Amino acid sequence: MNKNQLQRQVALMRSSLIEQGYLDEQQFLQLEDLQDDANPNFVEEIVTLFYKDSHRLFHNIEQALKSRPVDFTKLDNYMHQFRGSNSSIGAMKVKNECNQFKEFCLAGNAEGCIRAFQKVKQEHETLRMQLETYFKLRRQAGLAQTV
């Protein structure tokens, strides 16, 4: 495939991620606008940092879910941090699941929090795989450098 075809595939994949609700169009395109020849991997670097930070927050949430009694304020604070990180990259489906988690925290429902957290992690992982494919395609199209 030539570079023009690959670049069209990159655009189609981005559109698909937006249309399927994985990414917030405005936020993600704003991040991509910050990329230039001097920093062609800016979005990939931001997403990589997001996923590294996510592991720390997931650990904190898991520990808080195991504690008895459950401290719903602490849980909500951890999820608030995580939800903010999601917003920074435009991770819409993950953010929506975070909102469900928050509702269970407000209701003091530990079992609901556990179920919602599993959905958060599932959407988080699905997005990670989708974005890995997207960034790989960008590199193949010559839109980014090999990391």
Side-chain angles (χ1 to χ4, degrees), residues 25-85:
E25 181 175 23
Q26 183 178 5
Q27 182 62 36
F28 197 74
L29 292 179
Q30 282 179 352
L31 282 177
E32 284 194 328
D33 285 344
L34 296 173
Q35 293 181 142
D36 57 20
D37 291 340
N39 199 357
N41 298 353
F42 178 75
V43 176
E44 186 172 4
E45 291 168 7
I46 295 297
V47 169
T48 299
L49 289 173
F50 162 73
Y51 275 93
K52 284 181 182 176
D53 192 46
S54 296
H55 292 295
R56 177 185 58 81
L57 289 168
F58 280 0
H59 175 75
N60 291 343
I61 292 168
E62 287 167 349
Q63 294 306 308
L65 283 169
K66 290 177 185 175
S67 69
R68 294 294 178 257
V70 174
D71 185 341
F72 291 102
T73 302
K74 184 185 285 188
L75 269 175
D76 187 44
N77 287 336
Y78 289 144
M79 189 55 71
H80 181 75
Q81 290 174 35
F82 181 66
R83 195 172 59 235
S85 295

